[in-house]
Amino acid sequence: CSSFDMGSPFTALLGDKSVEELRRQKASADFAYVFFNADGNEINIPLNEPSFTLSTNMLQNLSQRSDARVLLIAGGSEKLNAVRITLNADICNTLITDTETAQDLLSDRGG
């Protein structure tokens, strides 16, 4: 899980076509190659091999299973928005984070 940065080394893995589409659609965050804009709407892009993604639907289904763990491991203020988007998309069922991020997330929910 991360905030999406057009200048990061990660973009080199995606290829120019995918990066251009992410820029055009204003990508804000990603989780396991599932990309979202700032409003939390999924952005579907073509990926070049060997990159691939599990669909959002597949991740949601796996997250609902009691015998499966879909882990979100992220922390720090720079990843807080990406963590929020990922959690709101219901595509993970386990969060591993730092204390400050956990407190920020709990305060969002009135916890």
Side-chain angles (χ1 to χ4, degrees):
C1 172
S2 182
S3 300
F4 188 73
D5 178 0
M6 293 294 293
S8 74
F10 177 53
T11 59
L13 299 173
L14 300 174
D16 293 340
K17 198 179 219 179
S18 297
V19 171
E20 178 55 30
E21 187 62 21
L22 289 166
R23 185 200 59 75
R24 189 183 72 71
Q25 293 194 45
K26 300 181 177 148
S28 175
D30 81 276
F31 173 75
Y33 286 84
V34 176
F35 298 91
F36 298 95
N37 65 19
D39 295 326
N41 298 314
E42 184 177 353
I43 300 171
N44 291 307
I45 61 162
L47 292 175
N48 296 325
E49 289 195 25
S51 299
F52 70 94
T53 184
L54 295 175
S55 70
T56 301
N57 189 43
M58 175 71 77
L59 290 169
Q60 288 169 335
N61 288 337
L62 286 170
S63 293
Q64 297 304 310
R65 293 178 55 141
S66 63
D67 64 341
R69 295 291 169 260
V70 181
L71 301 174
L72 165 57
I73 303 170
S77 60
E78 70 281 353
K79 291 192 176 186
L80 185 58
N81 190 52
V83 170
R84 284 184 182 119
I85 289 171
T86 302
L87 292 173
N88 288 333
D90 292 325
I91 57 176
C92 67
N93 58 13
T94 304
L95 171 62
I96 300 171
T97 192
D98 59 273
T99 302
E100 184 178 329
T101 300
Q103 290 171 337
D104 287 340
L105 292 168
L106 288 172
S107 68
D108 288 350
R109 298 181 187 259

XYZ file of all heavy atoms in Angstrom:
842
model
N 0.849 -1.170 0.000
C 0.000 0.000 0.000
C 0.892 1.229 0.000
O 1.849 1.297 0.767
C -0.884 -0.030 1.237
S -1.824 1.457 1.492
N 0.570 2.156 -0.852
C 1.383 3.354 -0.923
C 0.615 4.470 -1.599
O -0.324 4.222 -2.354
C 2.659 3.070 -1.708
O 3.483 4.214 -1.734
N 1.039 5.683 -1.320
C 0.575 6.806 -2.122
C 1.235 6.655 -3.481
O 2.369 6.188 -3.577
C 0.989 8.128 -1.482
O 0.426 8.236 -0.198
N 0.532 7.011 -4.542
C 1.105 6.834 -5.865
C 1.927 8.056 -6.244
O 1.444 9.178 -6.220
C 0.019 6.584 -6.906
C 0.597 6.210 -8.236
C 1.162 4.961 -8.416
C 0.631 7.118 -9.272
C 1.736 4.614 -9.631
C 1.196 6.775 -10.486
C 1.752 5.523 -10.671
N 3.186 7.829 -6.601
C 4.121 8.886 -6.960
C 4.609 8.636 -8.377
O 5.252 7.623 -8.654
C 5.291 8.875 -5.967
C 6.359 9.903 -6.280
O 6.234 10.656 -7.276
O 7.339 9.956 -5.526
N 4.304 9.559 -9.274
C 4.680 9.413 -10.685
C 6.196 9.323 -10.884
O 6.650 8.791 -11.880
C 4.136 10.592 -11.502
C 2.627 10.634 -11.592
S 1.923 9.261 -12.507
C 2.519 9.612 -14.134
N 6.975 9.815 -9.936
C 8.424 9.788 -10.075
C 9.101 8.638 -9.355
O 10.325 8.570 -9.325
N 8.329 7.731 -8.794
C 8.933 6.647 -8.010
C 9.493 5.554 -8.924
O 9.051 5.393 -10.060
C 7.893 6.034 -7.068
O 6.986 5.241 -7.797
N 10.446 4.773 -8.418
C 10.982 3.651 -9.197
C 9.901 2.624 -9.564
O 10.025 1.918 -10.554
C 12.026 3.037 -8.268
C 12.408 4.129 -7.344
C 11.178 4.969 -7.165
N 8.841 2.559 -8.781
C 7.728 1.640 -9.050
C 7.146 1.858 -10.451
O 6.769 0.907 -11.126
C 6.656 1.832 -7.980
C 5.418 0.998 -8.161
C 5.490 -0.372 -8.321
C 4.170 1.593 -8.144
C 4.349 -1.148 -8.468
C 3.019 0.832 -8.283
C 3.115 -0.536 -8.446
N 7.111 3.111 -10.901
C 6.515 3.386 -12.209
C 7.295 2.726 -13.346
O 6.708 2.382 -14.365
C 6.394 4.900 -12.473
O 7.690 5.500 -12.415
C 5.464 5.557 -11.467
N 8.589 2.501 -13.153
C 9.387 1.830 -14.184
C 8.917 0.395 -14.403
O 9.020 -0.140 -15.498
C 10.861 1.860 -13.815
N 8.370 -0.224 -13.361
C 7.850 -1.590 -13.488
C 6.544 -1.634 -14.277
O 6.208 -2.658 -14.861
C 7.600 -2.193 -12.100
C 8.800 -2.340 -11.186
C 8.338 -2.781 -9.802
C 9.782 -3.331 -11.769
N 5.822 -0.537 -14.267
C 4.488 -0.517 -14.865
C 4.498 -0.282 -16.365
O 3.590 -0.720 -17.058
C 3.637 0.563 -14.189
C 3.423 0.384 -12.695
C 2.703 1.601 -12.128
C 2.649 -0.884 -12.414
N 5.485 0.433 -16.863
C 5.543 0.748 -18.280
C 4.882 2.093 -18.583
O 4.001 2.557 -17.851
N 5.318 2.698 -19.662
C 4.878 4.045 -20.017
C 3.369 4.159 -20.226
O 2.746 5.127 -19.799
C 5.592 4.524 -21.288
C 7.082 4.721 -21.069
O 7.505 4.860 -19.899
O 7.828 4.730 -22.069
N 2.783 3.174 -20.891
C 1.339 3.213 -21.179
C 0.519 3.221 -19.885
O -0.411 4.012 -19.731
C 0.971 1.993 -22.024
C -0.319 2.070 -22.745
C -0.517 0.791 -23.550
C -1.139 1.094 -24.866
N -1.336 -0.094 -25.678
N 0.875 2.365 -18.967
C 0.163 2.283 -17.691
C 0.356 3.550 -16.872
O -0.594 4.082 -16.296
C 0.643 1.078 -16.882
O 0.355 -0.115 -17.557
N 1.575 4.050 -16.835
C 1.870 5.259 -16.069
C 1.112 6.449 -16.621
O 0.551 7.257 -15.868
C 3.388 5.526 -16.030
C 3.701 6.890 -15.427
C 4.094 4.428 -15.248
N 1.050 6.569 -17.930
C 0.305 7.672 -18.552
C -1.174 7.597 -18.196
O -1.809 8.607 -17.903
C 0.502 7.677 -20.070
C -0.274 8.761 -20.787
C -0.003 10.175 -20.266
O 1.107 10.459 -19.784
O -0.932 11.014 -20.341
N -1.730 6.395 -18.202
C -3.141 6.230 -17.844
C -3.361 6.566 -16.368
O -4.364 7.195 -16.011
C -3.608 4.807 -18.147
C -5.084 4.593 -17.960
C -5.953 5.447 -18.866
O -5.484 5.937 -19.921
O -7.134 5.646 -18.515
N -2.455 6.181 -15.502
C -2.562 6.523 -14.083
C -2.473 8.032 -13.872
O -3.197 8.607 -13.057
C -1.481 5.798 -13.277
C -1.688 4.294 -13.146
C -0.419 3.622 -12.631
C -2.873 3.983 -12.261
N -1.600 8.671 -14.611
C -1.496 10.135 -14.535
C -2.786 10.774 -15.006
O -3.338 11.666 -14.362
C -0.322 10.644 -15.369
C -0.103 12.173 -15.203
C 0.702 12.763 -16.349
N 0.081 12.572 -17.644
C -0.987 13.258 -18.091
N -1.580 14.136 -17.340
N -1.474 13.036 -19.299
N -3.307 10.311 -16.132
C -4.529 10.871 -16.709
C -5.711 10.735 -15.755
O -6.528 11.643 -15.625
C -4.841 10.181 -18.042
C -5.956 10.830 -18.838
C -6.266 10.068 -20.108
N -6.949 8.815 -19.870
C -8.218 8.695 -19.462
N -8.936 9.759 -19.219
N -8.752 7.506 -19.275
N -5.771 9.602 -15.062
C -6.892 9.359 -14.155
C -6.601 9.800 -12.717
O -7.369 9.515 -11.813
C -7.285 7.881 -14.189
C -7.868 7.472 -15.536
C -8.562 6.141 -15.458
O -9.319 5.866 -14.531
N -8.301 5.286 -16.442
N -5.470 10.488 -12.528
C -5.104 11.069 -11.237
C -5.012 10.041 -10.114
O -5.645 10.170 -9.067
C -6.058 12.200 -10.874
C -6.031 13.314 -11.895
C -6.956 14.435 -11.540
C -6.773 15.508 -12.592
N -7.904 16.266 -12.886
N -4.209 9.019 -10.363
C -3.990 7.981 -9.349
C -3.455 8.600 -8.063
O -2.608 9.492 -8.095
C -3.009 6.938 -9.878
N -3.955 8.097 -6.954
C -3.563 8.618 -5.655
C -2.924 7.553 -4.767
O -2.075 7.868 -3.949
C -4.803 9.192 -4.953
O -4.511 9.613 -3.663
N -3.361 6.295 -4.938
C -2.883 5.228 -4.055
C -2.956 3.888 -4.773
O -3.660 3.747 -5.776
C -3.743 5.178 -2.789
N -2.208 2.920 -4.239
C -2.319 1.562 -4.757
C -2.170 0.565 -3.629
O -1.562 0.839 -2.604
C -1.285 1.285 -5.855
C 0.076 0.941 -5.281
O 0.837 1.872 -4.955
O 0.367 -0.258 -5.138
N -2.769 -0.602 -3.849
C -2.611 -1.752 -2.963
C -2.551 -2.970 -3.866
O -3.511 -3.274 -4.573
C -3.794 -1.872 -1.989
C -3.757 -3.133 -1.162
C -2.868 -3.254 -0.108
C -4.598 -4.192 -1.441
C -2.824 -4.413 0.658
C -4.567 -5.359 -0.682
C -3.677 -5.462 0.370
N -1.416 -3.635 -3.887
C -1.240 -4.856 -4.671
C -1.631 -4.661 -6.133
O -2.352 -5.457 -6.718
C -2.031 -6.002 -4.038
N -1.173 -3.569 -6.714
C -1.438 -3.234 -8.115
C -2.906 -2.896 -8.391
O -3.338 -2.888 -9.537
C -0.976 -4.331 -9.069
C 0.527 -4.402 -9.247
C 1.313 -5.094 -8.347
C 1.141 -3.790 -10.328
C 2.684 -5.180 -8.505
C 2.518 -3.870 -10.497
C 3.286 -4.564 -9.583
O 4.643 -4.639 -9.747
N -3.667 -2.622 -7.363
C -5.014 -2.070 -7.529
C -4.856 -0.584 -7.231
O -4.429 -0.205 -6.141
C -6.035 -2.715 -6.567
C -7.391 -2.052 -6.702
C -6.137 -4.212 -6.832
N -5.175 0.254 -8.212
C -4.942 1.688 -8.115
C -6.248 2.425 -7.868
O -7.304 2.030 -8.365
C -4.284 2.197 -9.399
C -2.942 1.569 -9.649
C -2.837 0.406 -10.389
C -1.790 2.124 -9.114
C -1.606 -0.194 -10.603
C -0.560 1.536 -9.323
C -0.462 0.377 -10.075
N -6.155 3.527 -7.108
C -7.322 4.331 -6.755
C -7.018 5.804 -6.964
O -5.879 6.243 -6.804
C -7.672 4.143 -5.269
C -8.030 2.731 -4.909
C -7.075 1.864 -4.407
C -9.324 2.273 -5.078
C -7.396 0.564 -4.066
C -9.655 0.964 -4.744
C -8.703 0.115 -4.244
N -8.069 6.582 -7.273
C -7.910 8.032 -7.274
C -8.163 8.540 -5.858
O -8.453 7.753 -4.950
C -8.813 8.693 -8.320
C -10.293 8.539 -8.033
O -10.719 8.252 -6.919
N -11.106 8.752 -9.056
N -8.086 9.848 -5.652
C -8.218 10.424 -4.307
C -9.597 10.190 -3.706
O -9.750 10.201 -2.483
C -7.907 11.917 -4.357
N -10.608 9.973 -4.538
C -11.964 9.704 -4.046
C -12.178 8.240 -3.701
O -13.260 7.860 -3.264
C -12.997 10.126 -5.091
C -12.991 11.620 -5.344
O -12.731 12.385 -4.390
O -13.227 12.029 -6.495
N -11.148 7.400 -3.921
C -11.259 5.976 -3.619
C -11.853 5.152 -4.739
O -12.146 3.976 -4.564
N -12.012 5.755 -5.922
C -12.517 5.012 -7.074
C -11.377 4.244 -7.732
O -10.289 4.785 -7.928
C -13.150 5.958 -8.099
C -14.330 6.697 -7.525
O -15.183 6.109 -6.877
N -14.373 7.998 -7.740
N -11.654 3.001 -8.072
C -10.628 2.161 -8.684
C -10.307 2.640 -10.089
O -11.182 3.067 -10.841
C -11.101 0.710 -8.727
C -10.047 -0.236 -9.251
C -10.479 -1.685 -9.231
O -11.567 -1.990 -8.692
O -9.727 -2.510 -9.755
N -9.035 2.552 -10.431
C -8.556 2.875 -11.779
C -8.062 1.583 -12.408
O -7.140 0.952 -11.881
C -7.400 3.898 -11.729
C -7.865 5.198 -11.073
C -6.838 4.132 -13.117
C -6.723 6.165 -10.795
N -8.670 1.177 -13.491
C -8.231 -0.026 -14.200
C -7.252 0.371 -15.291
O -7.535 1.251 -16.099
C -9.429 -0.755 -14.817
C -10.300 -1.372 -13.748
O -9.818 -2.101 -12.905
N -11.585 -1.058 -13.772
N -6.106 -0.274 -15.284
C -5.077 0.007 -16.282
C -4.534 -1.298 -16.841
O -4.584 -2.329 -16.178
C -3.909 0.825 -15.686
C -3.233 0.036 -14.558
C -4.355 2.190 -15.231
C -1.861 0.510 -14.206
N -3.991 -1.237 -18.060
C -3.314 -2.421 -18.590
C -1.945 -2.556 -17.929
O -1.254 -1.574 -17.690
C -3.167 -2.093 -20.082
C -3.130 -0.600 -20.125
C -4.009 -0.128 -18.996
N -1.582 -3.778 -17.579
C -0.265 -4.035 -16.997
C 0.549 -4.898 -17.945
O 0.019 -5.807 -18.578
C -0.399 -4.752 -15.655
C -1.002 -3.949 -14.515
C -1.191 -4.834 -13.286
C -0.150 -2.750 -14.165
N 1.827 -4.593 -18.041
C 2.738 -5.385 -18.855
C 3.231 -6.571 -18.039
O 3.462 -6.461 -16.845
C 3.937 -4.544 -19.289
C 3.538 -3.394 -20.173
O 2.622 -3.501 -20.971
N 4.204 -2.264 -20.007
N 3.391 -7.722 -18.704
C 3.971 -8.878 -18.026
C 5.394 -8.542 -17.612
O 6.055 -7.773 -18.296
C 3.950 -10.088 -18.966
C 2.547 -10.608 -19.163
C 2.539 -11.991 -19.771
O 3.535 -12.721 -19.610
O 1.542 -12.341 -20.384
N 5.856 -8.989 -16.488
C 5.289 -10.032 -15.661
C 4.333 -9.507 -14.584
O 3.902 -10.251 -13.733
C 6.519 -10.670 -15.012
C 7.447 -9.512 -14.831
C 7.206 -8.628 -16.047
N 4.012 -8.202 -14.608
C 3.106 -7.645 -13.602
C 1.687 -8.166 -13.806
O 1.247 -8.390 -14.928
C 3.087 -6.115 -13.701
O 4.371 -5.592 -13.473
N 0.990 -8.381 -12.696
C -0.405 -8.794 -12.752
C -1.084 -8.348 -11.473
O -0.423 -7.934 -10.511
C -0.543 -10.311 -12.932
C -0.138 -11.087 -11.707
C -1.091 -11.464 -10.771
C 1.187 -11.425 -11.487
C -0.714 -12.169 -9.631
C 1.563 -12.131 -10.354
C 0.608 -12.504 -9.430
N -2.375 -8.422 -11.434
C -3.112 -8.039 -10.243
C -4.259 -9.004 -10.000
O -4.766 -9.622 -10.944
C -3.653 -6.600 -10.373
O -4.275 -6.233 -9.146
C -4.650 -6.463 -11.495
N -4.618 -9.146 -8.749
C -5.866 -9.818 -8.411
C -6.947 -8.749 -8.499
O -6.713 -7.603 -8.105
C -5.808 -10.394 -6.996
C -4.790 -11.496 -6.763
C -4.766 -11.882 -5.284
C -5.098 -12.713 -7.598
N -8.097 -9.095 -8.968
C -9.169 -8.105 -9.092
C -9.611 -7.623 -7.714
O -9.426 -8.319 -6.701
C -10.356 -8.710 -9.839
O -10.983 -9.691 -9.029
N -10.206 -6.466 -7.697
C -10.771 -5.944 -6.453
C -11.787 -6.921 -5.897
O -11.820 -7.186 -4.684
C -11.419 -4.575 -6.694
O -10.418 -3.697 -7.203
C -12.003 -3.993 -5.423
N -12.601 -7.475 -6.767
C -13.608 -8.450 -6.342
C -12.953 -9.669 -5.687
O -13.415 -10.150 -4.649
C -14.463 -8.865 -7.540
C -15.638 -9.699 -7.131
O -16.303 -9.412 -6.148
N -15.904 -10.747 -7.892
N -11.880 -10.176 -6.271
C -11.162 -11.317 -5.704
C -10.583 -10.968 -4.334
O -10.699 -11.741 -3.378
C -10.047 -11.778 -6.637
C -9.176 -12.873 -6.055
S -9.986 -14.451 -5.917
C -9.916 -14.978 -7.608
N -9.960 -9.792 -4.204
C -9.406 -9.371 -2.919
C -10.501 -9.199 -1.870
O -10.331 -9.581 -0.715
C -8.614 -8.075 -3.079
C -7.293 -8.202 -3.843
C -6.736 -6.823 -4.184
C -6.285 -9.009 -3.052
N -11.642 -8.655 -2.274
C -12.766 -8.518 -1.343
C -13.265 -9.887 -0.891
O -13.528 -10.102 0.299
C -13.903 -7.724 -1.982
C -13.588 -6.259 -2.117
C -14.587 -5.517 -2.981
O -15.247 -6.089 -3.842
N -14.690 -4.215 -2.751
N -13.395 -10.812 -1.826
C -13.841 -12.166 -1.481
C -12.856 -12.860 -0.547
O -13.262 -13.501 0.427
C -14.075 -13.006 -2.735
C -15.304 -12.585 -3.499
O -16.214 -11.986 -2.941
N -15.330 -12.894 -4.782
N -11.576 -12.749 -0.840
C -10.561 -13.348 0.035
C -10.602 -12.721 1.427
O -10.444 -13.410 2.433
C -9.166 -13.182 -0.571
C -8.838 -14.072 -1.763
C -7.533 -13.621 -2.408
C -8.772 -15.534 -1.342
N -10.837 -11.432 1.487
C -10.881 -10.726 2.770
C -12.056 -11.140 3.630
O -12.019 -10.981 4.850
C -10.925 -9.216 2.539
O -9.720 -8.780 1.973
N -13.091 -11.674 3.016
C -14.268 -12.118 3.761
C -14.112 -13.523 4.321
O -14.876 -13.928 5.197
C -15.511 -12.064 2.861
C -15.865 -10.677 2.378
C -16.058 -9.699 3.512
O -16.780 -9.977 4.458
N -15.384 -8.563 3.438
N -13.127 -14.248 3.844
C -12.937 -15.633 4.291
C -12.265 -15.674 5.654
O -11.334 -14.921 5.928
C -12.079 -16.389 3.285
C -12.765 -16.595 1.948
C -11.849 -17.295 0.988
N -11.355 -18.546 1.566
C -11.192 -19.660 0.900
N -11.481 -19.699 -0.387
N -10.728 -20.739 1.488
N -12.711 -16.589 6.500
C -12.108 -16.731 7.823
C -10.769 -17.468 7.769
O -9.994 -17.412 8.723
C -13.067 -17.461 8.762
O -13.309 -18.773 8.286
N -10.481 -18.137 6.665
C -9.234 -18.898 6.544
C -8.200 -18.216 5.658
O -7.212 -18.830 5.269
C -9.525 -20.305 6.020
C -10.097 -20.299 4.612
O -10.602 -19.238 4.162
O -10.052 -21.350 3.952
N -8.421 -16.956 5.330
C -7.480 -16.235 4.462
C -7.104 -14.899 5.095
O -7.921 -14.265 5.762
C -8.104 -16.003 3.089
N -5.887 -14.496 4.893
C -5.431 -13.194 5.363
C -4.921 -12.407 4.165
O -4.039 -12.861 3.437
C -4.303 -13.320 6.388
C -4.701 -13.995 7.672
C -5.665 -13.130 8.485
N -6.228 -13.886 9.578
C -7.446 -14.445 9.551
N -8.204 -14.343 8.499
N -7.891 -15.115 10.585
N -5.489 -11.228 3.979
C -5.005 -10.280 2.985
C -4.424 -9.120 3.793
O -5.151 -8.365 4.427
C -6.129 -9.794 2.047
C -5.572 -8.833 1.004
C -6.815 -10.983 1.377
N -3.105 -9.047 3.803
C -2.401 -8.119 4.680
C -2.171 -6.764 4.041
O -1.732 -6.668 2.891
C -1.031 -8.684 5.056
C -0.992 -10.017 5.770
C 0.437 -10.493 5.920
C -1.672 -9.928 7.120
N -2.430 -5.739 4.820
C -2.049 -4.377 4.488
C -1.002 -3.989 5.513
O -1.290 -3.934 6.715
C -3.257 -3.440 4.558
C -2.985 -1.937 4.573
C -2.175 -1.511 3.361
C -4.288 -1.179 4.638
N 0.211 -3.768 5.051
C 1.304 -3.382 5.940
C 1.789 -2.015 5.479
O 2.361 -1.882 4.387
C 2.464 -4.402 5.891
C 1.950 -5.795 6.246
C 3.596 -3.975 6.819
C 2.946 -6.914 6.009
N 1.495 -1.012 6.272
C 1.884 0.354 5.903
C 1.803 1.237 7.132
O 1.020 0.986 8.042
C 0.973 0.896 4.807
N 2.582 2.279 7.131
C 2.547 3.224 8.232
C 3.201 4.530 7.845
O 3.836 4.643 6.803
N 3.002 5.511 8.688
C 3.576 6.822 8.454
C 2.575 7.767 7.822
O 1.656 7.349 7.114
N 2.760 9.034 8.094
C 1.812 10.043 7.623
C 1.718 10.095 6.100
O 0.652 10.371 5.559
C 2.186 11.411 8.171
O 3.485 11.784 7.758
N 2.810 9.774 5.401
C 2.784 9.830 3.933
C 1.930 8.715 3.329
O 1.530 8.791 2.169
C 4.199 9.801 3.350
C 4.919 8.478 3.481
C 5.514 8.203 4.859
O 5.505 9.078 5.732
O 5.996 7.072 5.044
N 1.630 7.691 4.100
C 0.810 6.584 3.594
C -0.591 6.559 4.192
O -1.401 5.702 3.840
C 1.499 5.247 3.858
C 2.753 5.070 3.019
C 3.253 3.661 3.080
C 4.447 3.512 2.142
N 4.872 2.123 2.053
N -0.910 7.498 5.060
C -2.186 7.485 5.764
C -3.376 7.503 4.810
O -4.309 6.711 4.955
C -2.267 8.653 6.747
C -3.502 8.703 7.632
C -3.657 7.435 8.465
C -3.434 9.925 8.542
N -3.352 8.357 3.810
C -4.469 8.413 2.865
C -4.602 7.109 2.084
O -5.712 6.614 1.872
C -4.329 9.600 1.910
C -5.585 9.800 1.100
O -6.678 9.876 1.648
N -5.432 9.868 -0.207
N -3.483 6.536 1.671
C -3.523 5.264 0.947
C -4.082 4.155 1.833
O -4.851 3.300 1.366
C -2.126 4.900 0.451
N -3.742 4.158 3.100
C -4.272 3.166 4.042
C -5.784 3.347 4.165
O -6.547 2.377 4.117
C -3.580 3.265 5.422
C -4.288 2.408 6.460
C -2.114 2.876 5.310
N -6.228 4.594 4.314
C -7.671 4.869 4.415
C -8.414 4.350 3.186
O -9.448 3.700 3.301
C -7.917 6.367 4.548
C -7.628 6.930 5.894
C -7.998 8.416 5.934
N -7.691 8.975 7.210
C -6.827 9.981 7.406
N -6.192 10.534 6.392
N -6.614 10.435 8.618
N -7.904 4.663 2.014
C -8.553 4.243 0.766
C -8.626 2.722 0.697
O -9.668 2.155 0.365
C -7.812 4.834 -0.457
C -8.059 6.346 -0.533
C -8.243 4.149 -1.750
C -7.202 7.063 -1.563
N -7.534 2.052 1.031
C -7.491 0.590 0.977
C -8.481 -0.026 1.953
O -9.225 -0.946 1.609
C -6.068 0.089 1.251
O -5.175 0.664 0.281
C -5.984 -1.417 1.189
N -8.518 0.476 3.171
C -9.457 -0.050 4.162
C -10.905 0.185 3.729
O -11.756 -0.700 3.872
C -9.199 0.573 5.534
C -7.880 0.174 6.205
C -7.672 0.991 7.474
C -7.832 -1.315 6.488
N -11.192 1.357 3.191
C -12.557 1.660 2.743
C -12.986 0.801 1.561
O -14.179 0.571 1.365
C -12.698 3.142 2.400
C -12.702 4.015 3.634
O -13.083 3.583 4.713
N -12.271 5.253 3.486
N -12.020 0.312 0.782
C -12.338 -0.543 -0.367
C -12.611 -1.987 0.053
O -13.015 -2.806 -0.773
C -11.194 -0.508 -1.386
N -12.383 -2.316 1.324
C -12.617 -3.675 1.845
C -11.841 -4.740 1.081
O -12.363 -5.824 0.808
C -14.108 -4.024 1.849
C -14.903 -3.212 2.842
O -14.358 -2.906 3.924
O -16.060 -2.869 2.547
N -10.580 -4.437 0.747
C -9.778 -5.406 -0.002
C -8.672 -6.019 0.847
O -7.786 -6.686 0.324
C -9.203 -4.800 -1.308
C -8.366 -3.561 -1.018
C -10.318 -4.505 -2.284
C -7.694 -2.965 -2.252
N -8.724 -5.798 2.136
C -7.804 -6.454 3.061
C -8.550 -6.727 4.355
O -9.577 -6.118 4.630
C -6.555 -5.607 3.304
S -6.875 -4.084 4.197
N -8.033 -7.671 5.130
C -8.692 -7.980 6.400
C -7.731 -7.936 7.590
O -8.117 -8.226 8.702
C -9.420 -9.330 6.345
C -8.516 -10.484 5.996
O -7.299 -10.377 6.011
N -9.128 -11.608 5.666
N -6.489 -7.562 7.332
C -5.506 -7.453 8.404
C -4.637 -6.230 8.150
O -4.129 -6.054 7.041
C -4.606 -8.710 8.455
O -5.444 -9.861 8.598
C -3.624 -8.650 9.605
N -4.507 -5.402 9.158
C -3.676 -4.208 9.056
C -2.539 -4.299 10.068
O -2.768 -4.556 11.248
C -4.499 -2.941 9.344
C -3.719 -1.628 9.478
C -2.998 -1.276 8.181
C -4.651 -0.507 9.921
N -1.327 -4.083 9.584
C -0.151 -3.974 10.433
C 0.399 -2.574 10.204
O 0.741 -2.215 9.071
C 0.906 -5.046 10.101
C 0.315 -6.449 10.302
C 2.168 -4.838 10.936
C 1.197 -7.567 9.808
N 0.436 -1.779 11.275
C 0.854 -0.388 11.133
C 1.521 0.100 12.404
O 1.646 -0.636 13.387
C -0.347 0.507 10.748
O 0.131 1.789 10.334
C -1.337 0.664 11.891
N 1.931 1.359 12.404
C 2.550 1.963 13.575
C 1.483 2.616 14.456
O 0.339 2.787 14.043
C 3.606 2.987 13.138
C 3.002 4.079 12.298
O 2.912 3.907 11.066
O 2.600 5.109 12.878
N 1.863 2.967 15.651
C 0.932 3.519 16.638
C 0.289 4.816 16.150
O -0.927 4.996 16.268
C 1.654 3.762 17.980
O 2.209 2.524 18.423
C 0.710 4.292 19.036
N 1.074 5.722 15.606
C 0.541 7.015 15.162
C -0.504 6.837 14.060
O -1.572 7.456 14.096
C 1.674 7.915 14.677
C 1.200 9.305 14.287
C 2.351 10.201 13.851
O 3.480 10.036 14.360
O 2.113 11.072 13.002
N -0.227 5.984 13.087
C -1.189 5.738 12.016
C -2.450 5.100 12.567
O -3.567 5.485 12.199
C -0.564 4.853 10.921
O 0.594 5.524 10.387
C -1.530 4.584 9.789
N -2.306 4.133 13.463
C -3.459 3.496 14.080
C -4.311 4.517 14.822
O -5.552 4.508 14.704
C -3.012 2.383 15.026
N -3.692 5.410 15.572
C -4.438 6.425 16.292
C -5.167 7.366 15.346
O -6.325 7.729 15.575
C -3.506 7.209 17.222
C -3.031 6.386 18.396
C -1.949 7.061 19.216
O -1.248 7.936 18.739
N -1.820 6.611 20.455
N -4.522 7.751 14.245
C -5.162 8.607 13.249
C -6.381 7.907 12.634
O -7.432 8.515 12.445
C -4.189 9.006 12.143
C -3.163 10.031 12.608
O -3.406 10.711 13.635
O -2.115 10.155 11.940
N -6.236 6.635 12.316
C -7.343 5.884 11.738
C -8.496 5.739 12.722
O -9.659 5.888 12.346
C -6.869 4.501 11.282
C -5.916 4.490 10.098
C -5.291 3.116 9.930
C -6.609 4.934 8.819
N -8.191 5.467 13.974
C -9.236 5.345 14.999
C -9.930 6.667 15.250
O -11.148 6.704 15.450
C -8.646 4.796 16.288
C -8.254 3.328 16.250
C -7.504 2.936 17.513
C -9.475 2.437 16.053
N -9.209 7.768 15.190
C -9.836 9.071 15.405
C -10.762 9.423 14.240
O -11.753 10.110 14.420
C -8.793 10.166 15.620
O -8.069 10.418 14.445
N -10.457 8.912 13.036
C -11.344 9.098 11.880
C -12.706 8.479 12.126
O -13.728 8.948 11.654
C -10.786 8.428 10.616
C -9.580 9.165 10.046
O -9.286 10.280 10.495
O -8.943 8.595 9.145
N -12.725 7.365 12.858
C -13.943 6.603 13.080
C -14.575 6.904 14.436
O -15.462 6.198 14.877
C -13.658 5.112 12.972
C -13.174 4.743 11.587
C -12.908 3.260 11.483
N -12.289 2.945 10.229
C -12.906 2.447 9.192
N -14.179 2.203 9.241
N -12.257 2.171 8.084
N -14.057 7.920 15.116
C -14.598 8.276 16.412
C -14.175 7.334 17.513
O -14.819 7.244 18.540
N -13.059 6.562 17.267
C -12.616 5.553 18.235
C -11.678 6.050 19.260
O -11.230 7.094 19.414
